[in-house]
Amino acid sequence: MFGPADMQQRMQEMQSRIFGMQSQFQDMQRTIQESNDGAIRETLRVTDPQWARIKPRIDRIERLKIEVNASVEPGSYSGGPTVVSGGGDFAGGWSGGFTTFGSSGPGQSWSRTETFGPGGSRSTRSSDGEPTQAEVLCEELYSLIQTPGAAPAQVAQKVAALRQAKQRAASQLQRERTQLRALVNPQQEAALIAMGYLD
């Protein structure tokens, strides 16, 4: 039979494996991001100085697209909703995906399924892996409507907050796209439109 010490050791071993898996996911994400950046640079045929100006805009546009299209997909192995990020098409020719998990504060958790490849979504989150405000609000709203007896006024307040977050992101997205368009030539603009960074 297992005693308290054995159970604690098993829990520590399990936590260690989980942290190891998360580290592998982060390494995979960095590798995918580097590969994607290389594909975009090759498509745009940019110089190093031009890429240094374009890259931050592309990153912000991708994150804002994720926020504008944030939603939840019921069910994940953790028993909660899975945050689905709406992104653009991948510039390469292969696909894959994984789910990442984290915490947005005491008593709150989040998860995101990321799919890479044609027809899938793509995320270029900041290196800290934090979800966008709209993603957090999506999960909070989903959890709230699953709670028996949730007050309609509280639900309406959360809906309004989510709408405001998405509208704010949409306005920022339009500004970022305008600024990015000013940095590229017509051929590069066409490529960025095809890849979903410009409209």
Side-chain angles (χ1 to χ4, degrees):
M1 295 182 62
F2 292 106
D6 295 322
M7 183 63 69
Q8 183 176 8
Q9 182 178 356
R10 284 181 173 269
M11 290 292 293
Q12 290 175 344
E13 291 173 352
M14 182 179 298
Q15 289 178 345
S16 179
R17 285 197 296 270
I18 291 173
F19 289 145
M21 290 174 61
Q22 290 179 334
S23 178
Q24 290 176 356
F25 285 150
Q26 290 170 357
D27 290 342
M28 183 188 304
Q29 190 176 24
R30 281 192 294 269
T31 299
I32 291 170
Q33 184 60 51
E34 290 171 1
S35 176
N36 188 62
D37 286 348
I40 295 173
R41 290 193 63 173
E42 183 177 352
T43 300
L44 298 179
R45 298 182 179 141
V46 296
T47 62
D48 289 342
Q50 189 182 22
W51 179 247
R53 296 191 299 270
I54 290 175
K55 166 67 172 168
R57 300 286 180 194
I58 287 177
D59 287 347
R60 284 194 288 271
I61 286 171
E62 193 58 61
R63 185 171 177 86
L64 287 167
K65 286 166 59 182
I66 289 168
E67 185 150 26
V68 167
N69 295 291
S71 62
V72 297
E73 179 179 289
S76 71
Y77 81 80
S78 62
T82 298
V83 178
V84 179
S85 309
D89 293 333
F90 184 62
W94 55 275
S95 63
F98 54 89
T99 302
T100 51
F101 302 87
S103 173
S104 54
Q108 298 182 9
S109 63
W110 58 268
S111 64
R112 177 189 283 157
T113 297
E114 301 184 55
T115 306
F116 302 86
S121 63
R122 184 170 57 79
S123 167
T124 54
R125 289 178 299 168
S126 57
S127 58
D128 60 11
E130 288 298 317
T132 66
Q133 181 184 11
E135 287 176 312
V136 172
L137 288 169
C138 274
E139 182 172 339
E140 290 176 352
L141 176 60
Y142 183 89
S143 298
L144 182 61
I145 62 178
Q146 298 300 312
T147 303
Q154 191 176 6
V155 174
Q157 184 179 27
K158 192 68 68 176
V159 168
L162 177 58
R163 283 176 175 161
Q164 289 176 1
K166 289 193 172 191
Q167 290 169 358
R168 185 166 52 250
S171 297
Q172 293 172 351
L173 176 59
Q174 196 58 44
R175 287 196 295 271
E176 288 291 341
R177 282 174 162 166
T178 298
Q179 293 169 358
L180 175 60
R181 187 173 284 110
L183 298 175
V184 298
N185 61 40
Q187 185 174 356
Q188 292 169 335
E189 179 182 2
L192 288 167
I193 291 172
M195 289 186 285
Y197 293 106
L198 294 179
D199 54 10

